[in-house]
Structures are given as C-alpha cells and as structure tokens.
Amino acid sequence: MIERSNFTEHQWAQIKAEPLLSVMEGAEAPVDDTPGERIENIVEAIGIIDPDKKPPVKDLENVMGQDITAAQRDRAWAIYQKRIAEG
C-alpha cells in the first residue's frame, strides 16, 4: 500500500492510469493477526538462513516446512532487526 500524499497530482494521475495497477483510495492495510509463536518461529528461521538480509519467503518456507506470507516475513524481519539493534 502506498499513500497518495507521497506523490504529486501528476504522478498520482499516472499511477491511476496504469492499466496493470489497481488503485483503491481509502483502503486500509490488511491486519496481520498471526499468533506471536508463529512469528517467533519465523524470526528463528531468519537467523538460520542469513541474518544479514531479509530472506525470500520461499527460503523461509523451505526451512520451516510451512507456508508463510510476505507480511508475516516482514513482521518477523522487523522484530529480528530490532533485536539485533538492541544487542
């Protein structure tokens, strides 16, 4: 999701005119209600794969043996990065 305020009126018109994009103004970001335990498992898998870069979803799925979403990976990555920063 992107915010309209990040663009000029001209840029926004170009985005809306792009036939391969769907523009839904006023839509809210989906809510990630993944249980904390599952996110912790993803955080752990990130450390196993490569703690220096955000891993692809498919790599995490291979390690975990379960499907995950990009939103779950992103949430786990943010937690992982915060923990690294805190030492």
Side-chain angles (χ1 to χ4, degrees):
M1 294 194 51
I2 56 174
E3 295 291 326
R4 182 179 180 162
S5 61
N6 294 335
F7 303 96
T8 66
E9 287 300 319
H10 177 72
Q11 290 170 324
W12 189 250
Q14 288 177 309
I15 290 168
K16 287 180 71 172
E18 174 57 51
L20 299 177
L21 292 178
S22 295
V23 177
M24 297 184 316
E25 294 186 57
E28 293 185 22
V31 175
D32 180 11
D33 59 355
T34 305
E37 182 178 335
R38 181 158 169 85
I39 295 298
E40 286 300 321
N41 291 340
I42 299 169
V43 170
E44 187 175 315
I46 289 170
I48 292 170
I49 294 174
D50 184 353
D52 296 327
K53 64 180 182 179
K54 182 167 35 173
V57 169
K58 287 292 180 196
D59 290 355
L60 290 168
E61 290 176 334
N62 289 337
V63 167
M64 297 178 65
Q66 300 174 336
D67 291 341
I68 67 166
T69 66
Q72 291 168 331
R73 184 266 326 262
D74 292 347
R75 186 171 153 201
W77 177 248
I79 292 168
Y80 185 86
Q81 292 293 69
K82 182 179 178 187
R83 290 179 183 166
I84 294 296
E86 292 173 349

